[in-house]
Every structure is written in structure tokens, then in C-alpha cells.
Amino acid sequence: MQFTVTILGAGSATPTLGRHPSAQLISYENENFLIDCGEGTQMRLLEYKIRPSRLKAIFISHLHGDHYFGLIALLSSLNLGGRTDDLHLFGPRGLDEILLLQFKYSQTPLHFAIHFTAVDTTQHTQVFDHPCFTVHTIPLQHRVPCAGYLFREKLHKRKLIKEKISDQMSYECLKKLKNAEHIYDESGAILYNFEEYTLPAPAPRSYAYCSDTRYYEQLAEYIKGVDLLYHEATFMEDLAQQAYERYHATAKDAARIARKAEVGRLLLGHFSSRYKEFSGFLQEAQSIFVATAIAEEGKTFAVQSTST
């Protein structure tokens, strides 16, 4: 099953030409989910030929403008486009008030329902239950209430070996085999051993999005062993003190968390506008955690299992 992350924006608060505020698209099979929605996100979706109408849910990390100023525009366009399907929206308390006031004073009646869930940014809690995966909040340390999001696949069923399946096997029999259950005959002997008729299920995959946060070690506990981690890296190490005071992280901070959490791969993003290129970020991070890449805008990263 497809499980990918497309980087729509990886810049920080101050805008620059050719760089966009935070936004990422999670694609799982034929469904799309948005994490953060900085200014111009809907234009980025159009640029990459992604239909905004296919969005199932939106997750906002915190209420600094570079992470949600594009939300009202996106919702308004969905409304104008005739959307009628419900939309799930997750974010810190207060986001619902902002949207209600905006739509009230612009006299914009929505033609679709928004189901808003106010997340507790201090807790690691499940907030969304999809048939194929769950989403948990990740408490972060920022100047305002802020939470990351952890997407974790549910356990897959074992795969049937088609060549070994016979017409005598009922649907219930096949279902049990896929669930790793033996089939017994009337005497209690094993009739069908699930290990002979099925293949092991692929390992479940996971993706963690850690938005604005300064370094703190407890974060590693929430994201232990994830396959792909996105962690902000607003500054390089020469501005480490400034990063900490502003509740942000450096590239080395992100790499330290990735190493401590034993993740599969690390993506760096949320770069300060003072930096014109990112090779220095990569060098600093890879000195601590080799499997590091830059969250290049427009690039799609596959979430792949790194379990051994």
C-alpha cells in the first residue's frame, strides 16, 4: 500500500521567494491528509496536481501563522468547489474560534461539515482512528501550545499463498488463516497450518511529524523506532543558544533526537530565511545521524519499513 509524504513547504515564519511555509501531504492509498497549512498551501496542491477535494483530514500543529494561515483560504475554496463530504480537523484549542469568526464576518455558509477536535498538546494521545492506521499527538516544547503527529500503521494480516488455496476452503477458513490461526479437523488435529498457507505480513510503517520545538530528550520516547521522522531544524549549531531561547532546534538537535529514538530516517525542515542553501544543515546532522535528508519542497518521500 502506498504511504508517502510530499513536502509542500519547509520554510519558517519569514517568507522568501521560492520557499514556502510549513505544509505536508500524507498519501495513504487513495486518501490524502494534510499536516499544517501555511500560506499558499492550496496553490502548492494545485501546482503538484493534487486535488484538494480528496482531503480527508487536516492536522494543525500550532497557531503560529506560518503553520495555519492557508487554512481559511483552503476551506473557502473547498466550499466554492462544491464540497459536501465531511472534513476532520485537528488542532490546538482556539482554532475553531478563529474559523467561526472568519466565516461569520465574511458571511460564508459552509456546505460541508467540519468535525473539529481540539488536541491536548501536553499529552501523547490517539486522536484519529483510520481502518489502516492511527494518529497520535506528540507533545512538543514551543512558545505556544504545539503538538506533532505520529502516523502508525495497524498490523497487517498475513498474505494467502494463492497456489495453495483450494475450493474446499471456506471464507471463514481463509479469514482465520490470514489472522494466523490454524484450522482443526473434528478430531482436533491441525488440518491447515497457517504458516504453510500464508506469508508473513509486512511490518507496519510509521511517520512522525515534529513541528516547531526546541530540543528535549523525552521527545525520543514518543517516536521510538519510527521509520521516518520529520524534525524542525530552524538554525545551525552556531545559533544554538538563539534556537533554544526561541523554542526552536538546530540540525544537530534533530539528529540527536533521531539517534536517541533509533529512527530509520530523518528529514530536516522549517529552515530560517537567513539561510540560502542547506548543505551545512545536512553536514551537521549527518555527523551525528547519517540517514538524514533535506525535506526538499516538491519532493515525495516513501515511508518504508526499516524493521529488521
Side-chain angles (χ1 to χ4, degrees), residues 240-259:
Q241 185 59 36
Q242 183 173 320
Y244 188 81
E245 291 171 355
R246 295 186 179 184
Y247 287 81
H248 282 298
T250 66
K252 281 192 173 182
D253 286 336
R256 292 183 185 105
I257 289 295
R259 183 177 63 185

Side-chain angles (χ1 to χ4, degrees), residues 72-124:
I72 291 170
L74 174 60
L75 296 177
S76 297
S77 294
L78 291 175
N79 198 48
L80 289 171
R83 183 186 180 106
T84 56
D85 293 343
D86 292 5
L87 180 70
H88 293 274
L89 175 62
F90 302 84
R93 191 173 307 278
L95 179 58
D96 52 339
E97 296 178 39
I98 293 170
L99 295 178
L100 285 171
L101 282 173
Q102 175 68 31
F103 292 131
K104 174 183 177 180
Y105 287 107
S106 65
Q107 298 183 26
T108 304
L110 291 182
H111 304 302
F112 63 95
I114 296 177
H115 301 282
F116 176 70
T117 299
V119 303
D120 185 345
T121 61
T122 68
Q123 299 296 320
H124 179 53

